[in-house]
Amino acid sequence: MGVAATPFVGRETDLGRLERCVGDRARLVVVRGEAGIGKTRLLDEASARLPADIALLRGASDRDGARPLGAIVDALDHQVASWSALPDSLRRHREVIGSLFGRAPGPAPMQREIGPGEVADGVVATLRHVMGPRHGLLVLDDLHWGDADIAGVIDRIMRSDVQCTVVASLRDEPGVDEALVEMLADTSRHCRSEQIWLRPLTVAEVERLLRASIGLVAAAIAEDVHERTGGHPLLLTQLLDTGELSGTGSLAALPTSFDESVRRRLLGLSRTTRLVLSATAVLGRSASFGVLSAFTRFGEDDLLDALHELCARRLLVEAEHDQFAFVHALTRETVESSLLSRERRRLHARALDVLGPDAEPLDVLRHAVEAGDARRQWEAAHQGAMPTLAGGHPCAALRMARAGLAVRPDDLDLTIVKATAAWRVRHRDEAAAAARRAIELAGDGAPLVVASVHRLLARLAWETADRATHQSSTDAMIRLVDRVDAQHRAEVLASIAEATMLVDREDAVCWAERALDAAASNPELHAVALINLGSALTNERDRRHEGREMLRRAVAVTEIGSDSFAEARALNNLLCEIVYVDEPAVVRPVLERFESQTMGAGLTPQLGENVALWWAVLAERVGDQRAALDAIEWFGPVEPEGNGCLGLLTASIDLDRSRPDEVLARLARLLASAGGDLANSSAAWTCAIETELSVRYQGAEPRNQLDRLFDPTRAPQRYMLDLLDRFGRAAVVIARHAPEAAAHAARRWHEWAAGDLDATSIHSHLLAIADEHDGAPASAKTKYEQSLQGLPRRAATIVADAELGIARCCDKLGDRVTARRWALAAHARLADWPGPDHDQAVRLLRSLGSRPPRARAVSILSEREKEVAVLVSQGCTNAEIGQRLYISTRTVGVHVGHILNKLGATKRSEIAAQAIRKGWAS
């Protein structure tokens, strides 16, 4: 769309910001404001002024949502349509391109389910091909009509290497999809993003607009016009276009809103012209001459006359050859709202009659719902829901399934789509209810269907810590194994293997091995079976290494496959191991890939907490408390869920920060969120944390706490490295606070670990504490040194404890030089982990006659903290800062707290002074 004829006034600063963002290669620019405030006009102006070396793609979301990923597909559609053959670089994305654009040059793609992550990858690859070597600008209008599907794809673009700036416009009003809000907020944390808030025009700007449009008379009427219109740009433009604001009429007669202005123009329309306008509004955001002719049944001359009048009155515009669109979406909304209910139903019924056989199912569904045509409503939903879900668009599929079930609640296929799609978009209660309904509808005649639904129920139950439902669904799948034909038995076995692995059942390895054997001839199931068996083996102390290597193979297999969820699962389950056994330099690339896969594939509801968890664990390993807290903060202001370990890790870090009250409160919240019944691993973590809390801060008797920690009726007999790590930490804390109990702790640990090779480092550590307490520094020093060689790679605080132990032993042996070296190493390890452990290192260094090194310049703020500091210096409240930066008020409070700590300040005024002095606002 070209730049409008009305002078461009009052947005010069905003346009300059937008142009700078594009020039500086910002990743995301969000233009926000109320309807009609000038967002699209700003984008028109910016697009028209782009340098020749920037590739421009532009699309808009459709309020009717007729096409999944509407704005992105709209932006790329023309490019894809011009291909005579599919480019070689996009061959592996043929099915995604065919699904999105309704065509894929070359042989027809095979029919199979496409995951949301595969869709996102296909879009990124297409975008990369279209952009070529140039930097690109992807403009997405009206993003407020988007959903979680498009949010996931935009996030993947943000995290890709495509040289592209995404500019999105959206209305500043309630009702924007929560997934979009979360995506925009998250993007601001990991890449450069800007927000441009558009406001009404000022009196001076209204005067400039009027002067450029109607001459010098503007100076006399500008203030009155501003008062009448509120400086609303779209209303002003319409009044100028229609001649109502010519400077000669009565200002008191001017409409005070855009809606009123449109309704006045509707009054003078003939019945024929009004019907053409109503038909256009009902058909969608635009309609062709041919469709309007079929819809209205008017002759060509009558239809042309009506269209001429509508364009002259600035209600419609011929956007393309024979294609007519509303001047603004608000015009269409006003026309639709003016229709009577019966009139609206008749128009939508007529639309159903003229839609072609290739019409989008979502479009047919919309008209059927509005027309009250139950048969067509169900047919469109039934026809489109399953392919839409299989095409990787769960939000759109869920809308269709709901609409179809509203007419025929006993439709099994739609019920299964509803359950699956609701789970993928995290509507868990809805998903569980639909899954139970599907089992009821399937009865005894469809064992494979029932098994697949029970798999979904088991997964939902695991995510919500509903152990009873998980058990019953798993047992139901086991009973169905022999009822499923041999061709599909591998699918059921894989589902059972996954369910038993998730809750550490003793038969998990057995089921996983059976599934692997059955899936030998099915590549996709084989990858899933590898993940399940590898994960189950990591719970077996004698086969942990075997499981680890199997997970590495699974990651390699899924990397070239198409199942986004399987790839993310493989990466997550591998990280469960390597975050404790491999060097940070090895872990980080795997973790970065896991984060990219989880976020880009729309798997945040299922695995987003684990992204934060593994970053925080890695930070705990290297002793970077700020990084650990940032990872937890990244997860968001909501509490971690009861069945996960992120909340428990946060409680453990709170212990290191001497915050016992917060630990107790957090444990209580986690227990409440799990319905009072924590899963096995979470219950064991909780026991370890409560034990440490009791010894450190509540004066509990150490031996009693050891009995509690290693209670054979409570301590798990099968465990992964995370529990070995947490139990080991608790045992060391008990021994350190009560050295007389260290030897007993070492015995209990040895009995519990039963010769586990990964447990030797903790055993050596406990024996070293006992020897040091018994006055045997040489033996203690040797054992401390042995503890540093074992696995897992423990938290920085535990490693530093061993280093301080060596320092004390060296001091007692008369080697103060070596003692100071070990104490300095411990202090350096904990330099970024403030708390009592760091304080202990400082005290030991001083007792050895050394002074701790000067603290590093931790007062340097991150870029986000500088942005917050600048806004604080401008007098903004936390709520105002949150609105400006598109983050929650709570997150702003966290940033302000960090800034105060880093600057050593106590008041916001000190932050302001520092921001001005350092020139952060320049």
Side-chain angles (χ1 to χ4, degrees), residues 210-412:
L210 296 179
R211 183 184 292 273
S213 303
I214 62 176
L216 294 177
V217 70
I221 67 172
E223 190 168 343
D224 290 335
V225 170
H226 182 273
E227 182 179 357
R228 189 77 181 169
T229 64
H232 193 274
L234 182 60
L235 175 57
L236 288 164
T237 299
Q238 291 293 297
L239 294 178
L240 287 169
D241 287 345
T242 59
E244 295 173 84
L245 190 54
S246 61
T248 59
S250 170
L251 295 181
L254 288 178
T256 58
S257 70
F258 182 78
D259 183 79
E260 182 184 352
S261 173
V262 172
R263 287 181 183 275
R264 287 186 184 184
R265 278 177 280 154
L266 297 181
L267 294 175
L269 298 178
S270 68
R271 183 176 182 279
T272 298
T273 305
R274 178 68 181 266
L275 180 56
V276 172
L277 185 64
S278 299
T280 309
V282 165
L283 286 168
R285 64 180 183 179
S286 67
S288 68
F289 186 91
V291 171
L292 285 171
S293 178
F295 188 103
T296 61
R297 299 173 181 162
F298 292 151
E300 183 171 329
D301 289 342
D302 289 340
L303 182 56
L304 282 173
D305 287 344
L307 289 170
H308 269 299
E309 182 179 358
L310 292 171
C311 291
R313 288 177 177 266
R314 298 296 296 159
L315 293 168
L316 295 183
V317 62
E318 188 175 14
E320 298 176 21
H321 176 68
D322 266 358
Q323 192 75 23
F324 295 88
F326 282 90
V327 171
H328 196 279
L330 281 179
T331 309
R332 181 189 173 198
E333 291 173 21
T334 301
V335 171
E336 283 186 300
S337 67
S338 69
L339 297 173
L340 299 174
S341 298
R342 181 178 296 273
E343 184 182 14
R344 183 182 295 108
R345 284 197 303 272
R346 290 177 59 186
L347 288 168
H348 280 285
R350 179 65 187 146
L352 285 173
D353 293 337
V354 301
L355 285 177
D358 59 345
E360 294 286 347
L362 275 168
D363 213 15
V364 177
L365 181 63
R366 176 176 68 89
H367 291 305
V369 170
E370 293 291 342
D373 188 332
R375 180 184 63 82
R376 294 292 298 274
Q377 179 175 334
W378 173 79
E379 287 176 351
H382 193 83
Q383 175 190 356
M386 185 66 77
T388 301
L389 181 64
H393 312 293
C395 279
L398 182 58
R399 293 198 302 271
M400 300 183 82
R402 286 169 176 166
L405 288 169
V407 176
R408 295 195 185 179
D410 293 342
D411 188 307
L412 175 60

Side-chain angles (χ1 to χ4, degrees), residues 419-420 423 428-440 449-474 476-477 498-499 502:
T420 307
W423 169 66
R428 288 173 175 155
D429 290 342
E430 184 178 14
R436 288 191 290 269
R437 177 62 175 157
I439 292 172
E440 177 185 333
V449 170
V450 173
S452 67
V453 177
H454 272 299
R455 175 185 181 272
L456 176 58
L457 270 176
R459 186 81 200 190
L460 280 164
W462 178 77
E463 290 176 2
T464 56
D466 183 351
R467 295 166 65 183
T469 299
H470 187 281
Q471 178 70 37
S472 63
S473 292
T474 304
M477 285 189 286
E498 176 187 314
L502 286 173

Side-chain angles (χ1 to χ4, degrees), residues 550-826:
M550 193 167 289
L551 286 171
R552 293 186 199 275
R553 284 169 50 202
V555 166
V557 169
T558 56
E559 185 175 14
I560 59 175
S562 60
D563 189 333
S564 302
F565 184 66
E567 181 177 354
R569 272 193 68 214
L571 290 164
N572 175 71
N573 294 2
L574 177 62
L575 283 163
C576 289
E577 290 286 302
I578 66 172
V579 77
Y580 295 104
V581 300
D582 286 349
E583 295 295 338
V586 175
V587 176
R588 284 193 183 96
V590 180
L591 185 43
E592 287 167 355
R593 179 180 159 194
F594 173 55
E595 178 179 347
S596 176
Q597 180 69 4
T598 299
M599 304 303 293
L603 296 172
T604 311
Q606 291 81 30
L607 295 168
E609 183 173 323
N610 283 25
V611 173
L613 172 67
W614 300 132
W615 279 120
V617 169
L618 186 62
E620 187 187 37
R621 299 271 84 74
V622 301
D624 189 340
Q625 193 177 99
R626 178 69 269 136
L629 295 174
D630 284 346
I632 294 164
E633 180 188 320
W634 172 89
F635 180 69
V638 299
E639 282 290 326
E641 298 189 42
N643 68 316
C645 294
L646 182 61
L648 293 166
L649 179 66
T650 307
S652 183
I653 294 172
D654 284 337
L655 280 175
D656 287 342
R657 301 168 73 199
S658 301
R659 298 184 174 188
D661 292 340
E662 291 189 24
V663 175
L664 286 170
R666 188 174 299 280
L667 292 179
R669 289 196 298 270
L670 287 169
L671 186 62
S673 71
D677 187 15
L678 290 169
N680 292 343
S681 59
S682 296
W685 267 52
T686 301
C687 177
I689 292 171
E690 289 175 341
T691 299
E692 186 177 339
L693 177 70
S694 299
V695 171
R696 275 193 174 192
Y697 300 105
Q698 297 173 344
E701 205 284 319
R703 286 181 181 270
N704 290 341
Q705 294 307 306
L706 284 172
D707 291 340
R708 179 184 185 220
L709 186 65
F710 297 116
D711 182 349
T713 65
R714 298 181 60 184
Q717 297 305 306
R718 304 175 70 258
Y719 49 81
M720 297 177 73
L721 288 180
D722 58 349
L723 287 185
L724 195 70
D725 180 71
R726 295 298 140 181
F727 270 51
R729 169 181 161 131
V732 168
V733 168
I734 292 173
R736 179 58 64 205
H737 282 75
E740 68 280 1
H744 182 59
R747 285 193 297 273
R748 297 299 299 270
W749 175 262
H750 187 66
E751 292 168 1
W752 178 73
D756 191 330
L757 294 178
D758 290 328
T760 56
S761 59
I762 292 295
H763 190 238
S764 297
H765 198 141
L766 295 171
L767 291 174
I769 296 173
D771 283 352
E772 185 182 359
H773 175 69
D774 292 340
S779 174
K781 175 177 175 293
T782 299
K783 291 183 174 66
Y784 277 129
E785 290 171 341
Q786 291 170 349
S787 78
L788 296 176
Q789 306 305 314
L791 296 175
R793 302 194 184 282
R794 296 160 291 162
T797 53
I798 303 300
V799 176
D801 183 88
E803 291 171 333
L804 293 174
I806 295 173
R808 289 190 299 271
C809 291
C810 288
D811 184 36
K812 290 178 182 176
L813 292 170
D815 188 354
R816 277 207 145 197
V817 173
T818 304
R820 280 195 292 269
R821 187 174 73 248
W822 279 101
L824 280 168

Side-chain angles (χ1 to χ4, degrees), residues 1-327:
M1 184 180 294
V3 177
T6 306
F8 183 68
V9 170
R11 299 284 185 251
E12 293 83 2
T13 300
D14 299 318
L15 179 60
R17 280 188 64 194
L18 181 52
E19 290 179 325
R20 283 194 299 275
C21 289
V22 176
D24 294 343
R25 306 300 196 249
R27 293 297 281 167
L28 176 68
V29 183
V30 181
V31 180
R32 303 185 68 199
E34 64 178 287
I37 201 67
K39 301 181 292 296
T40 299
R41 179 64 188 277
L42 178 66
L43 298 182
D44 289 342
E45 293 287 337
S47 299
R49 296 168 55 164
L50 281 178
D53 61 342
I54 292 183
L56 172 65
L57 295 172
R58 186 167 179 180
S61 291
D62 187 354
R63 186 197 66 188
D64 302 321
R67 297 179 75 176
L69 307 185
I72 292 177
V73 171
D74 193 25
L76 291 167
D77 194 45
H78 179 72
Q79 299 286 339
V80 176
S82 68
W83 297 340
S84 58
L86 191 69
D88 289 341
S89 62
L90 299 178
R91 288 189 181 279
R92 67 182 292 258
H93 303 289
R94 177 188 303 280
E95 292 153 293
V96 171
I97 293 169
S99 170
L100 288 177
F101 301 98
R103 57 188 174 272
M110 65 179 184
Q111 297 298 311
R112 64 174 180 82
E113 183 170 336
I114 300 171
E118 192 178 358
V119 171
D121 284 341
V123 171
V124 169
T126 304
L127 191 61
R128 182 185 292 111
H129 176 83
V130 170
M131 293 295 185
R134 296 182 296 170
H135 186 80
L137 184 65
L138 177 61
V139 179
L140 305 175
D141 281 322
D142 296 330
L143 197 61
H144 47 271
W145 284 322
D147 56 19
D149 293 342
I150 197 170
V153 173
I154 294 172
D155 188 77
R156 177 62 68 93
I157 294 171
M158 295 295 94
R159 296 171 184 275
S160 73
D161 60 355
V162 176
Q163 299 302 306
C164 172
T165 297
V166 175
V167 179
S169 71
L170 69 157
R171 291 183 185 176
D172 182 26
E173 61 185 28
V176 179
D177 192 288
E178 184 178 342
L180 275 168
V181 175
E182 290 180 357
M183 180 275 295
L184 295 171
D186 176 68
T187 298
S188 68
R189 299 172 184 171
H190 68 78
C191 66
R192 185 188 165 192
S193 64
E194 296 281 345
Q195 289 203 67
I196 299 175
W197 293 71
L198 300 188
R199 48 169 178 70
L201 300 180
T202 64
V203 173
E205 290 164 347
V206 169
E207 181 179 346
R208 285 174 51 204
L209 175 63
L210 296 179
R211 183 184 292 273
S213 303
I214 62 176
L216 294 177
V217 70
I221 67 172
E223 190 168 343
D224 290 335
V225 170
H226 182 273
E227 182 179 357
R228 189 77 181 169
T229 64
H232 193 274
L234 182 60
L235 175 57
L236 288 164
T237 299
Q238 291 293 297
L239 294 178
L240 287 169
D241 287 345
T242 59
E244 295 173 84
L245 190 54
S246 61
T248 59
S250 170
L251 295 181
L254 288 178
T256 58
S257 70
F258 182 78
D259 183 79
E260 182 184 352
S261 173
V262 172
R263 287 181 183 275
R264 287 186 184 184
R265 278 177 280 154
L266 297 181
L267 294 175
L269 298 178
S270 68
R271 183 176 182 279
T272 298
T273 305
R274 178 68 181 266
L275 180 56
V276 172
L277 185 64
S278 299
T280 309
V282 165
L283 286 168
R285 64 180 183 179
S286 67
S288 68
F289 186 91
V291 171
L292 285 171
S293 178
F295 188 103
T296 61
R297 299 173 181 162
F298 292 151
E300 183 171 329
D301 289 342
D302 289 340
L303 182 56
L304 282 173
D305 287 344
L307 289 170
H308 269 299
E309 182 179 358
L310 292 171
C311 291
R313 288 177 177 266
R314 298 296 296 159
L315 293 168
L316 295 183
V317 62
E318 188 175 14
E320 298 176 21
H321 176 68
D322 266 358
Q323 192 75 23
F324 295 88
F326 282 90
V327 171

